[in-house]
Amino acid sequence: MTKYVYDFTEGDRTMSDLLGGKGANLAEMTRLGLPVPPGFTITTDACKAYLAEGREPAGMGAQIGTALAATEARSRRHFGDADDPLLVSVRSGAKYSMPGMMETVLNIGLNDETVVGLARVTGNERFALDSYRRLISMFGRTVQGIESEKFETALDEIKEAAGVQLDIELSIDDLKATINKYKEIVHTATGKPFPQGVYEQLDLAVRAVFESWNGDRAKLYRRQEHIPDDLGTAVNICTMVFGNRGEDSGTGVAFTRDPASGVSGAYGDWLTNAQGEDVVAGIRNTLKLDDMAITLPEAHAQLLEVMTTLEQHYRDLCDIEFTVENGKLWMLQTRVGKRTPAAAFRIAVQLVEEGLISQTEALQRVTGAQLMHLMFPRFVKDGERDLLTTGIAASPGASVGHIAFSAERAVELAATGMKIILVRKETNPDDLAGMVASVGILTSRGGKTSHAAVVARGMGKTAVCGADELQVDSHAKIARLPNGRVFNEGDLISIDGTTGEVFAGEIPVTASAVTQYFNGELTPQEIMGDPLVRAVDHLIFHADSIRRMGVRANADTAEDAARARRMGAEGIGLARTEHMFLGARRELVERLILADNDAEVRHALDALLPLQIQDFTDILEAMDGLPVIIRLIDPPLHEFLPDYTALAVKVAVAEERGEATEADRHLLQAVGRMHEANPMLGLRGVRLGIIFPGLFSLQVRAIAEATAVRILEKGDPHAEIMVPLVATVAELEPVRREAEAIIAEVADKYGVELHIPIGTMIELPRAALTAQRIARSADFFSFGTNDLTQTTWGFSRDDVEAAFFSEYLERGIFGSSPFETIDPFGVGELVRMAAAKGRSVKPTLPLGVCGEHGGDPRSIHFFDEVGLDYVSASPFRVPVARLEAARATLATGNQNATA
């Protein structure tokens, strides 16, 4: 029979696939001899079986009974005992941390009888009643699907009637009234009384946790974090320990280092006389962990010892949940903690310097996406700034947006293109969609371990929490400050997640220190003096020393090329020449395309040639000594011609007025002859070069002459020519023959030796399928994954992204946009096939990628696996590609080839 239940004494941290992260780590802490309450874990296999069959798998119930009996024996209490009841928590725990996305129920086992026994055995009636009212509201919300607002409103009304502000100020009579009111809410909502059977409570809670795996917020979070849908969640049944038993009790969340900044030392939030959800939900503003040392010094000292043990054991930042019950410390959870991008880099290097991990391990603990986040701008410190209030710096960043007071409104406004700051008293898991849609989050309650802070850090969103001067009224859609200032939905504010400051209006931004570092703007002293920049410098240097793939840049001007070189680019993988023909030169190209005779063609070419020579000379000079792949002109034809519809209207009006000229009619006829219904699949790329041969020959001559000029100037140019949109080798061959003839002619003219490779883009399915034929006439391949994605999927990017991509992502048809991350099964398979076919003809054929995917971290791993030699990305993404290419090398274990 399949084993579905594991006692905490049976597992360890390597079993996260089966026990989930929480269960595996509870078992690990038990194995280490740390104070963990007795309990057991129901496996992810049980969850998957339950979701597949709609009922619990055979044998699971009996195994739960056996495990519960063992828990009763160790805790010396019995589940459902009216005199001294065992109470348990039921908590979700997937392989990957999904904070707040699935269900948790505390105090399972309380009913009208056992609450009396709990009060008697503890001598604390208030504590027992408080635990019971928490169970009813939590069970009602998570298991029975009752809106949490109904319980919150009832509690607020009772507190108002009692003249108190905090839950802990409620009297015994107030708590009894709260319990009765909660029971009424349950009965009204479900038509049944609150369940008194403790085994029924347990069974329903377990089922609710299983089902929460497919809840809307869990699915949204998995899409956001790219977590597979087929993993399922484990369920952890743990003996309850109580932080709400009085002033010698409490609960908290701690980090072995600051998860926001990465600074060493214990950080965390703590509440006396509270249960765990009070800290995470931000219901009460928390105390700092140091405050615990004053009220409970022995428990605090033990906690610090445990934190040191766990960090040394896991060799990483640990996130810890704990409870102190009557002065005794209990560990309820540990995991490798989520952290901001800045903290990730600083902690990784700290651990190297402390001898806990190697440089290579450090590199595996940071990501290109995190580095990209560190390159985002920050607020300028000069000039006028209207400071409204200061909260807790929960997740770094500088975000400007319009206020939205609900998740629903945030989603609605963001869909119109507005940047949104979600403003709430505190967030809860139901706010996830609004948090995803927003650029920043501001709450008036909570701390660094609140739901808002943890989720924001995980998503790389700016967050300021615990801005308690701010009175947020979500119903009225206003926020007030003590000085009387009022802010409405839609008002513009700026939040600084690094300082916790909140400003009115829009604050200008400036380049981050990390971007300044990559731009070469910092001195060595400034680099070493900034812990974050020093960490980035340390890791990027190591990344460059081990990565297999080269990293080039997409750059169209000398200025872009110089910037890319400062960012660490090892050449240009794509110089788009069509961008050089915009502005004043557009008219010359139009005349070339519409020319009626050879003289007009010659005139246009003669005017363009010196301009192109200068363009290429400047780029080759900026990238002296490095390869520069120049793509021959590849625009849809309509980009260089007047708009046909507008021109037709203009001529028709002129005809009506008797003002039309023969030149107007001739132009309309010529444009009409060239007009295309689908220009992206029309006369462009190599087709344009074949139909208008003078255009390609002009560019080849300009590239050759620029190369010759640089050689005579004692430069070291490495120009390469790339022919775009080739579908058949029969298109490439005549272009190559003509190019080789021109290059030879220019070499003779200048008296220099020119070696200019001629390759092609693989951006059409047919090119990929016939790559072995094309390779015979190509010196290199560069995969144009933008067009390859369009033509493989049958998408017009400009149309489909706005039309239905959001719906496809929402429905899970896409895990991510195929234009952002390579589709490995379709487009990726064509890349893999073309690479193999090309190298079957030329084993050393250079292979690269120059689409936008070249700067996408996940796509870079795919390109490394396929065996490409380099990726090419925008200058800003070059550092990201350098880091991620090294991580890809480590993932594949292939360090044989050189970049």
Side-chain angles (χ1 to χ4, degrees):
M1 179 178 291
T2 302
K3 184 174 175 64
Y4 290 116
V5 179
Y6 286 74
D7 192 272
F8 290 165
T9 60
E10 295 182 289
D12 60 48
R13 64 173 172 165
T14 66
M15 300 172 66
S16 59
D17 282 332
L18 186 65
L19 303 181
K22 190 175 297 178
N25 288 323
L26 282 167
E28 187 74 7
M29 287 195 294
T30 301
R31 193 176 67 82
L32 291 173
L34 300 180
V36 177
F40 55 92
T41 299
I42 305 171
T43 66
T44 55
D45 284 348
C47 173
K48 289 183 278 190
Y50 174 86
L51 295 176
E53 300 168 14
R55 54 186 171 82
E56 70 176 40
M60 187 184 92
Q63 292 178 36
I64 290 174
T66 300
L68 185 59
T71 299
E72 289 175 325
R74 282 198 298 278
S75 64
R76 298 180 182 177
R77 281 175 281 177
H78 292 282
F79 193 55
D81 183 5
D83 295 322
D84 187 8
L86 170 68
L87 305 183
V88 298
S89 62
V90 178
R91 307 177 76 188
S92 62
K95 177 180 180 179
Y96 301 108
S97 176
M98 296 172 56
M101 297 305 112
M102 293 180 291
E103 305 301 6
T104 291
V105 187
L106 306 181
N107 306 325
I108 291 287
L110 277 177
N111 58 25
D112 292 348
E113 290 185 3
T114 57
V115 71
V116 176
L118 183 63
R120 185 187 308 113
V121 76
T122 61
N124 190 335
E125 184 179 10
R126 192 200 177 284
F127 147 70
L129 294 170
D130 182 57
S131 299
Y132 193 21
R133 66 97 184 169
R134 290 171 183 269
L135 168 65
I136 298 171
S137 64
M138 192 175 286
F139 193 94
R141 291 195 312 269
T142 61
V143 179
Q144 298 174 309
I146 302 170
E147 293 177 3
S148 60
E149 190 174 343
K150 293 184 177 180
F151 295 106
E152 292 166 4
T153 300
L155 183 61
D156 287 342
E157 290 173 352
I158 290 171
K159 286 193 290 189
E160 184 176 354
V164 301
Q165 291 187 329
L166 301 177
D167 302 357
I168 58 175
E169 297 174 315
L170 292 171
S171 68
I172 287 175
D173 287 339
D174 294 333
L175 288 170
K176 288 179 178 178
T178 304
I179 289 168
N180 289 332
K181 182 62 178 176
Y182 282 5
K183 285 181 178 178
E184 289 178 15
I185 292 171
V186 170
H187 197 281
T188 300
T190 66
K192 298 177 183 179
F194 178 76
Q196 294 296 303
V198 296
Y199 289 96
E200 180 186 5
Q201 291 177 10
L202 181 60
D203 179 64
L204 291 174
V206 170
R207 291 170 182 261
V209 172
F210 282 160
E211 290 167 4
S212 69
W213 175 257
N214 284 331
D216 289 341
R217 65 179 186 242
K219 289 193 289 187
L220 175 60
Y221 187 85
R222 290 199 296 274
R223 283 200 301 273
Q224 181 77 11
E225 299 297 317
H226 305 291
I227 297 172
D229 284 329
D230 60 355
L231 300 179
T233 181
V235 181
N236 300 287
I237 314 293
C238 186
T239 298
M240 281 296 305
V241 288
F242 299 96
N244 58 331
R245 289 191 65 169
E247 293 304 310
D248 65 347
S249 302
T251 190
V253 176
F255 296 89
T256 55
R257 299 174 194 243
D258 187 345
S261 68
V263 173
S264 297
Y267 287 78
D269 294 329
W270 158 259
L271 279 175
T272 56
N273 200 16
Q275 284 198 322
E277 75 271 19
D278 296 344
V279 176
V280 178
I283 294 170
R284 289 161 54 189
N285 278 347
T286 55
L287 303 173
K288 300 210 177 295
L289 205 60
D290 290 344
D291 295 319
M292 182 183 170
I294 300 171
T295 55
L296 295 170
E298 291 183 8
H300 180 263
Q302 185 185 2
L303 175 64
L304 294 183
E305 290 177 7
V306 169
M307 292 170 70
T308 299
T309 297
L310 288 172
E311 182 169 276
Q312 294 283 329
H313 183 69
Y314 282 87
R315 300 181 308 129
D316 206 345
L317 161 70
C318 289
D319 172 354
I320 297 162
E321 292 182 20
F322 66 94
T323 285
V324 178
E325 181 183 53
N326 296 140
K328 179 173 174 54
L329 176 70
W330 292 98
M331 305 307 297
L332 304 182
Q333 178 175 333
T334 191
R335 60 190 171 198
V336 171
K338 290 185 180 295
R339 66 208 70 183
T340 64
F345 275 82
R346 288 188 65 178
I347 290 170
V349 172
Q350 287 168 9
L351 294 174
V352 171
E353 293 171 344
E354 293 168 18
L356 288 175
I357 63 174
S358 67
Q359 290 190 92
T360 295
E361 286 177 288
L363 198 57
Q364 292 170 311
R365 293 187 181 186
V366 296
T367 68
Q370 290 171 330
L371 180 57
M372 193 185 312
H373 184 84
L374 296 179
M375 297 176 71
F376 289 163
R378 62 186 179 183
F379 290 140
V380 298
K381 294 184 178 180
D382 301 327
E384 292 186 8
R385 305 202 297 179
D386 185 2
L387 178 64
L388 300 176
T389 188
T390 301
I392 295 169
S395 185
S399 293
V400 180
H402 299 270
I403 293 174
F405 287 106
S406 70
E408 295 77 14
R409 186 63 172 156
V411 171
E412 181 182 329
L413 293 175
T416 68
M418 291 177 66
K419 294 188 181 299
I420 301 300
I421 303 289
L422 180 63
V423 179
R424 305 280 284 156
K425 284 183 181 177
E426 69 269 346
T427 63
N428 62 57
D430 292 331
D431 290 320
L432 180 65
M435 298 173 79
V436 170
S438 302
V439 296
I441 297 134
L442 170 63
T443 68
S444 60
R445 297 177 181 171
K448 282 189 177 180
T449 59
S450 66
H451 175 269
V454 172
V455 174
R457 283 196 296 271
M459 294 192 296
K461 303 271 186 181
T462 305
V464 174
C465 298
D468 52 12
E469 287 186 333
L470 197 65
Q471 296 180 356
V472 179
D473 188 336
S474 299
H475 296 292
K477 298 183 179 179
I478 58 173
R480 292 189 181 87
L481 288 168
N483 62 10
R485 293 186 70 173
V486 175
F487 291 85
N488 300 296
E489 194 155 73
D491 286 351
L492 194 65
I493 61 172
S494 302
I495 63 173
D496 190 330
T498 304
T499 65
E501 294 172 309
V502 181
F503 303 95
E506 181 174 359
I507 303 296
V509 295
T510 186
S512 74
V514 173
T515 299
Q516 291 174 327
Y517 157 73
F518 282 117
N519 268 327
E521 299 171 19
L522 301 183
T523 66
Q525 292 76 18
E526 288 172 324
I527 293 171
M528 297 307 294
D530 186 320
L532 174 58
V533 174
R534 185 172 68 85
V536 171
D537 176 70
H538 181 110
L539 291 177
I540 203 73
F541 180 83
H542 185 58
D544 286 340
S545 73
I546 66 171
R547 60 183 165 85
R548 184 191 65 80
M549 284 196 301
V551 176
R552 302 184 187 180
N554 301 338
D556 308 334
T557 66
E559 292 77 12
D560 283 346
R563 183 182 302 111
R565 190 163 192 161
R566 291 194 300 270
M567 290 281 183
E570 298 159 324
I572 292 179
L574 174 64
R576 306 175 186 88
T577 57
E578 58 270 14
H579 292 174
M580 301 172 184
F581 291 107
L582 301 177
R585 304 183 193 183
R586 185 177 183 276
E587 182 181 348
L588 291 172
V589 180
E590 179 184 321
R591 284 162 52 189
L592 174 65
I593 293 172
L594 297 178
D596 284 333
N597 54 64
D598 291 342
E600 291 181 2
V601 170
R602 187 77 263 156
H603 177 76
L605 291 175
D606 289 345
L608 286 169
L609 180 60
L611 300 175
Q612 280 276 268
I613 292 173
Q614 190 62 55
D615 290 334
F616 299 139
T617 301
D618 291 344
I619 291 178
L620 290 171
E621 182 178 1
M623 277 287 170
D624 196 55
L626 298 175
V628 177
I629 296 180
I630 301 168
R631 182 177 72 184
L632 301 180
I633 190 167
D634 180 34
L637 192 62
H638 73 282
E639 290 187 9
F640 291 112
L641 297 177
D643 179 81
Y644 178 71
T645 302
L647 183 62
V649 170
K650 176 184 175 182
V651 173
V653 170
E655 292 281 9
E656 182 72 23
R657 294 173 178 172
E659 300 171 356
T661 66
E662 191 58 35
D664 291 335
R665 298 186 187 98
H666 178 75
L667 179 61
L668 178 61
Q669 184 180 25
V671 172
R673 187 171 63 250
M674 298 288 182
H675 179 70
E676 297 175 309
N678 191 345
M680 294 301 292
L681 295 177
L683 187 57
R684 54 172 289 215
V686 68
R687 304 159 192 168
L688 191 65
I690 290 173
I691 299 302
F692 299 98
L695 201 50
F696 271 16
S697 61
L698 157 76
Q699 291 194 296
V700 171
R701 184 174 299 278
I703 293 167
E705 294 213 17
T707 303
V709 167
R710 288 295 301 145
I711 291 173
L712 294 176
E713 293 174 345
K714 306 303 182 185
D716 185 19
H718 292 271
E720 302 181 31
I721 293 172
M722 182 158 66
V723 183
L725 213 71
V726 166
T728 169
V729 70
E731 292 174 315
L732 180 60
E733 287 171 340
V735 172
R736 182 182 183 98
R737 283 195 297 270
E738 183 180 13
E740 288 175 332
I742 293 171
I743 292 169
E745 178 188 329
V746 172
D748 288 342
K749 173 182 174 183
Y750 285 86
V752 297
E753 184 177 338
L754 294 179
H755 173 67
I756 301 177
I758 300 170
T760 185
M761 293 185 79
I762 303 295
E763 52 189 332
L764 295 172
R766 193 183 191 282
L769 291 168
T770 61
Q772 77 279 12
R773 296 171 62 83
I774 293 174
R776 295 191 184 101
S777 294
D779 295 325
F780 63 87
F781 283 174
S782 180
F783 291 93
T785 52
N786 296 345
D787 272 333
L788 189 58
T789 297
Q790 290 197 91
T791 52
T792 300
W793 281 89
F795 287 155
S796 168
R797 178 173 185 171
D798 293 339
D799 298 321
V800 298
E801 286 192 301
F804 62 81
F805 266 35
S806 60
E807 183 78 10
Y808 267 38
L809 291 165
E810 180 71 24
R811 293 189 177 201
I813 297 172
F814 288 156
S816 58
S817 167
F819 289 111
E820 294 176 7
T821 298
I822 195 78
D823 155 33
F825 305 110
V827 178
E829 189 59 30
L830 288 173
V831 172
R832 189 189 304 274
M833 178 193 307
K837 284 175 176 286
R839 283 183 171 162
S840 70
V841 175
K842 292 181 178 177
T844 60
L845 181 71
L847 302 174
V849 60
C850 61
E852 289 184 28
H853 299 102
D856 172 65
R858 285 190 293 154
S859 302
I860 289 170
H861 284 252
F862 174 81
F863 298 135
D864 184 81
E865 177 206 335
V866 171
L868 302 194
D869 297 303
Y870 68 86
V871 295
S872 189
S874 68
F876 185 78
R877 281 195 164 195
V878 164
V880 173
R882 290 163 62 192
L883 182 78
E884 209 60 58
R887 285 168 39 79
T889 297
L890 295 173
T892 59
N894 181 7
Q895 292 177 253
N896 297 325
T898 63

